[in-house]
């Protein structure tokens, strides 16, 4: 779990992480695909919830949506980021569940 949390934390790194790059108005499709794959590695949350895990993933779907216009340069990039945003939202919902 420690390696997974470190990888999720690195996704927020301003220089190399998918979410960090979005914050800097840079859409990296490969990093986005890798982030979706990383989210799929998270096991379902059982009776005990690791708050660090939740903190690192719950905000990501909203954050991606907020960066949509700023981080893309054309309609193709926007469409690709929108697709990844949907996949991130689904992956987070799979992990945390839907009320």
């Amino acid at each position: 779990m420690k390696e997974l949390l470190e990888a999720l934390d690195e996704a927020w790194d301003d220089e190399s992480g998918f979410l960090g790059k979005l914050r800097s108005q840079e859409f990296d499709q490969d990093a986005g695909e890798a982030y979706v794959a990383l989210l799929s590695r998270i096991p379902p949350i059982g009776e005990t919830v690791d708050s660090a895990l939740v903190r690192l993933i719950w905000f990501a779907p909203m954050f991606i949506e907020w960066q949509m216009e700023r981080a893309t340069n054309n309609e193709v990039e926007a469409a690709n980021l929108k697709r990844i945003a949907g996949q991130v939202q689904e992956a987070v919902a799979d992990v945390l569940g839907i009320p």
Side-chain angles (χ1 to χ4, degrees), residues 18 22 27-29 32-33 35-36 60-91:
F18 172 64
L22 283 179
F27 169 49
D28 181 335
Q29 182 173 342
E33 301 286 351
Y35 183 66
V36 171
M62 290 176 286
F63 178 80
I64 294 169
E65 290 292 328
W66 293 341
Q67 301 301 315
M68 194 78 62
E69 290 182 14
R70 294 174 23 136
T72 57
N73 295 313
N74 56 53
E75 289 182 24
V76 172
E77 280 189 359
N80 286 330
L81 181 54
K82 187 173 184 172
R83 179 181 52 77
I84 288 172
Q87 291 175 331
V88 168
Q89 186 169 356
E90 288 177 26

Side-chain angles (χ1 to χ4, degrees), residues 34-46:
Y35 183 66
V36 171
L38 176 63
L39 290 173
S40 70
R41 291 180 29 211
I42 300 170
I45 293 176

Side-chain angles (χ1 to χ4, degrees), residues 6-73:
E6 288 173 359
L8 289 166
D9 192 36
E10 287 174 14
W12 290 94
D13 181 80
D14 290 337
E15 294 180 16
S16 62
F18 172 64
L19 301 172
K21 286 181 177 182
L22 283 179
R23 182 181 291 137
S24 300
Q25 302 177 15
E26 179 184 347
F27 169 49
D28 181 335
Q29 182 173 342
D30 291 337
E33 301 286 351
Y35 183 66
V36 171
L38 176 63
L39 290 173
S40 70
R41 291 180 29 211
I42 300 170
I45 293 176
E47 295 177 16
T48 305
V49 175
D50 186 334
S51 63
L53 174 68
V54 175
R55 178 180 54 83
L56 291 168
I57 67 171
W58 80 270
F59 183 70
M62 290 176 286
F63 178 80
I64 294 169
E65 290 292 328
W66 293 341
Q67 301 301 315
M68 194 78 62
E69 290 182 14
R70 294 174 23 136
T72 57
N73 295 313

